[in-house]
Amino acid sequence: MFSTILMSFSCQKEAEKMTAIYLFPKKMDEVSGISYSQKLDLLWVIEDSGNKNEIYGIDMKGNVINTVTIKKVKNVDWEDITKDKDGNLYIGDFGNNNNSRTDLCIYKIAKDSLGNKETDIVYKVSFAYPEQNDFPPQKNELLYDVESFFEFNNHFYLFTKNRSKGFDGTTLLYKIPNKPGFHDAKLMGEFKTCNDYDTCVITSAAISSDDSKVVLLSHSKLWLFENFKNDNFFSGTVSELDLKHYSQKEGVCFKDNKTVFISDERVHKIGGAVYEVSIDKLKSKP
């Protein structure tokens, strides 16, 4: 996959409009999720498997304002971070590249602890997919990796990263209650992007603060969902928005109801940045 990404990087045109507002610190090569705090005007950032059990508060100039160690938990594969309406954070330890994990979970971090150097979790939400019977499944049924979620009406909504042989762009939407303990994830529906893995696999998701917009992210596109009812996000209106920029994008969150932040991993000195993108401008592009 990385070789394909590098090839795509080399083909980018200098005239691309998406430009970074800042770079992450050099030691942070594998940023996998971001969440924005309007009150503090900073991003809360995590890295994925093989990195520390820490979250980082980074301001709009790229300075690390605080590093919080999450005690007594391991970063098995932290893939996304989100918040609730009160500002509490949630870390999704549900990266599952081989579709073989049986310890998928989400950690709640209290908003009042984010100024500390270390903190305990408030609680742990464990879950499984009832439709998965084998660990791992057959290669054409690798549907249970996840890098994307958000919190809405006291539930989590997860969008799977399809790793199946013969990729067809299908992402599954699962729902899990935001309360401690073990839960069976409820399958809510599915959405198809396109059949090109490198441009259409889902790597992050976010919901706007007014709950009117949902976005799904890939390495080069956003899918925008509007005019849906309740949590039937795949109903209503969908727009495919071309970012005209290719990189290993791994994080998206709303700055406000019309603007998103997007982050990418650093691959061979390329990427490792935060971008600010106007939804309205993307919709107006031909």
Side-chain angles (χ1 to χ4, degrees):
M1 176 179 172
F2 286 140
S3 61
T4 305
I5 289 174
L6 288 173
M7 184 180 298
S8 297
F9 279 142
S10 66
C11 294
Q12 289 188 49
K13 298 179 181 179
E14 294 182 1
E16 289 177 346
K17 297 179 181 179
M18 188 168 152
T19 57
I21 59 173
Y22 67 79
L23 298 176
F24 289 117
K26 291 183 179 179
K27 66 177 182 179
M28 297 177 64
D29 288 336
E30 298 183 35
V31 169
S32 58
I34 57 175
S35 181
Y36 180 62
S37 169
Q38 291 180 320
K39 182 177 179 180
L40 300 175
D41 193 28
L42 55 77
L43 289 174
W44 290 107
V45 173
I46 58 169
E47 294 188 281
D48 59 15
S49 60
N51 290 286
K52 296 180 179 179
N53 53 322
E54 296 176 339
I55 59 176
Y56 309 94
I58 302 180
D59 68 16
M60 291 299 106
K61 295 183 180 179
N63 301 309
V64 179
I65 302 302
N66 195 27
T67 299
V68 186
T69 299
I70 312 303
K71 297 190 294 183
K72 301 176 185 177
V73 300
K74 182 181 179 181
N75 184 344
V76 178
D77 196 357
W78 293 5
E79 284 292 356
D80 207 358
I81 183 170
T82 193
K83 64 181 181 180
D84 60 25
K85 293 292 188 183
D86 295 324
N88 302 299
L89 295 181
Y90 300 87
I91 298 169
D93 192 346
F94 40 47
N96 192 17
N97 289 9
N98 298 321
N99 283 225
S100 58
R101 286 184 64 180
T102 56
D103 58 349
L104 305 172
C105 63
I106 297 166
Y107 299 118
K108 180 177 182 177
I109 311 300
K111 64 177 180 180
D112 295 336
S113 70
L114 296 175
N116 302 335
K117 293 301 180 184
E118 59 181 21
T119 187
D120 291 305
I121 64 171
V122 179
Y123 56 72
K124 176 182 178 180
V125 180
S126 299
F127 66 94
Y129 308 107
E131 290 74 24
Q132 182 175 5
N133 297 311
D134 299 310
F135 299 83
Q138 297 296 317
K139 291 184 178 180
N140 61 350
E141 297 178 349
L142 297 178
L143 299 168
Y144 303 103
D145 185 17
V146 169
E147 296 187 359
S148 317
F149 83 137
F150 54 75
E151 207 270 359
F152 172 69
N153 284 350
N154 205 35
H155 286 80
F156 299 111
Y157 293 86
L158 286 66
F159 301 82
T160 64
K161 183 176 184 179
N162 188 337
R163 293 183 177 273
S164 300
K165 181 180 179 181
F167 177 82
D168 67 354
T170 298
T171 181
L172 304 178
L173 169 60
Y174 280 95
K175 178 179 180 179
I176 301 168
N178 181 0
K179 58 183 181 181
F182 175 83
H183 309 280
D184 278 331
K186 180 181 179 182
L187 181 61
M188 299 290 289
E190 64 179 55
F191 176 75
K192 288 191 177 182
T193 53
C194 79
N195 60 8
D196 178 25
Y197 180 92
D198 290 315
T199 59
C200 286
V201 69
I202 300 303
T203 60
S204 191
I207 189 168
S208 59
S209 58
D210 67 357
D211 301 329
S212 69
K213 299 178 179 68
V214 165
V215 290
L216 301 183
L217 176 71
S218 75
H219 295 316
S220 63
K221 299 176 185 292
L222 283 174
W223 285 265
L224 172 67
F225 300 88
E226 301 173 285
N227 305 313
F228 47 79
K229 294 182 179 180
N230 300 316
D231 61 358
N232 189 5
F233 305 119
F234 294 152
S235 67
T237 306
V238 58
S239 304
E240 181 178 310
L241 307 177
D242 190 351
L243 297 171
K244 300 188 183 301
H245 179 281
Y246 191 97
S247 63
Q248 192 172 331
K249 296 178 181 66
E250 297 285 344
V252 65
C253 62
F254 278 87
K255 176 184 180 182
D256 53 43
N257 295 322
K258 296 183 178 181
T259 312
V260 294
F261 290 119
I262 293 173
S263 66
D264 54 12
E265 288 194 10
R266 185 177 291 113
V267 181
H268 295 275
K269 299 183 180 180
I270 298 173
V274 174
Y275 311 84
E276 185 175 327
V277 178
S278 165
I279 294 293
D280 288 345
K281 288 183 179 179
L282 280 179
K283 289 179 71 174
S284 65
K285 286 181 181 179

